[in-house]
Amino acid sequence: MRPVALLCSGGLDSTTVAYWLREKGVEVLPIFFDYGQHCVEKEWSTLQAVLPKSGVLEPTRIDISGIFRGSRSRLISEPDLWNEDVLADDLYVPYRTLLFLSAGASCAQTRGLTEVYSGFINSNHAKELDCSAAFLNGLDSLTANIGPIRIRMPFRDWSKSNVVGEALRLQVPVGATFSCQLFSDTPCGVCPNCVERLVAIETIVGAK
């Protein structure tokens, strides 16, 4: 079976997809994008620590940080939460999802692969146009018309709670994953990603 590319960040969603693919016997090529995010080194080290120990190729790290150089997004410039208020709109990075998926498709085809997986889910807090259900639902049909690469998002219709439940079933090291939007090393616990994650974990663990 030919390997598949997987867009990875060290976060819970993409890591769970990696374990989900390995359960199916699929070999994974992790692709990591340095887009200038302030937590890039934390994400990169976390990614290498949390991926499955077998059936995973050496992660490929790609620097696209020049595209967002000068961005005021708080995903790029780490805020000082002691002295600054940060709103959800301050976390916006223009066309980031579209960029990741198109760059991932290019990387995959260059390496002779035909499928690109991602961990995008039905998030309640994502406001970017290229994270909308309408965009994601139409993306695979679009790529099917312009080239051989197929975009796969197996958890696209899932909630974060669904992902946590699947991660526990697959024995993903949930506590070791990292997806904070505001701090570059330690999860802040108050950004949209942290809150969604904590609520999901509490929901699943509390139901057991």
Side-chain angles (χ1 to χ4, degrees):
M1 183 181 295
R2 182 179 298 180
V4 302
L6 172 63
L7 307 186
C8 293
S9 65
L12 176 59
D13 302 337
S14 61
T15 303
T16 303
V17 174
Y19 278 77
W20 182 83
L21 287 166
R22 288 303 305 133
E23 183 183 54
K24 298 179 182 302
V26 179
E27 191 173 42
V28 176
L29 170 63
I31 295 177
F32 174 86
F33 291 116
D34 171 0
Y35 61 94
Q37 66 271 42
H38 55 67
C39 57
V40 60
E41 297 306 331
K42 175 64 174 181
E43 287 187 350
W44 177 241
S45 61
T46 298
L47 166 70
Q48 297 174 85
V50 299
L51 285 172
K53 302 307 179 185
S54 64
V56 177
L57 302 174
E58 185 73 21
T60 295
R61 175 169 171 164
I62 300 173
D63 187 348
I64 55 173
S65 59
I67 295 173
F68 299 117
R69 187 168 295 121
S71 170
R72 296 182 180 181
S73 170
R74 287 320 207 170
L75 288 179
I76 307 298
S77 176
E78 185 174 9
D80 174 5
L81 291 185
W82 293 105
N83 299 299
E84 298 177 90
D85 292 326
V86 180
L87 304 177
D89 288 345
D90 296 328
L91 300 171
Y92 175 66
V93 178
Y95 298 103
R96 182 178 57 155
T97 302
L98 180 59
L99 176 63
F100 285 179
L101 291 172
S102 59
S106 298
C107 292
Q109 187 168 357
T110 298
R111 290 158 177 76
L113 308 182
T114 58
E115 294 181 288
V116 175
Y117 279 77
S118 82
F120 290 118
I121 67 169
N122 182 24
S123 174
N124 292 322
H125 69 77
K127 296 185 176 182
E128 294 88 342
L129 291 175
D130 55 350
C131 285
S132 68
F135 174 83
L136 295 177
N137 287 337
L139 188 63
D140 190 49
S141 60
L142 173 63
T143 57
N145 290 326
I146 61 175
I149 302 298
R150 301 306 300 270
I151 304 296
R152 309 293 191 192
M153 292 173 277
F155 301 165
R156 178 171 55 195
D157 297 322
W158 289 23
S159 68
K160 184 68 76 171
S161 295
N162 294 144
V163 176
V164 170
E166 183 71 352
L168 294 177
R169 184 187 73 79
L170 293 168
Q171 298 185 325
V172 175
V174 173
T177 61
F178 180 86
S179 55
C180 181
Q181 296 168 295
L182 295 182
F183 283 171
S184 61
D185 186 65
T186 304
C188 69
V190 297
C191 71
N193 274 7
C194 282
V195 171
E196 186 179 43
R197 170 193 173 103
L198 289 171
V199 169
I201 292 173
E202 290 173 358
T203 299
I204 295 300
V205 173
K208 290 186 178 296

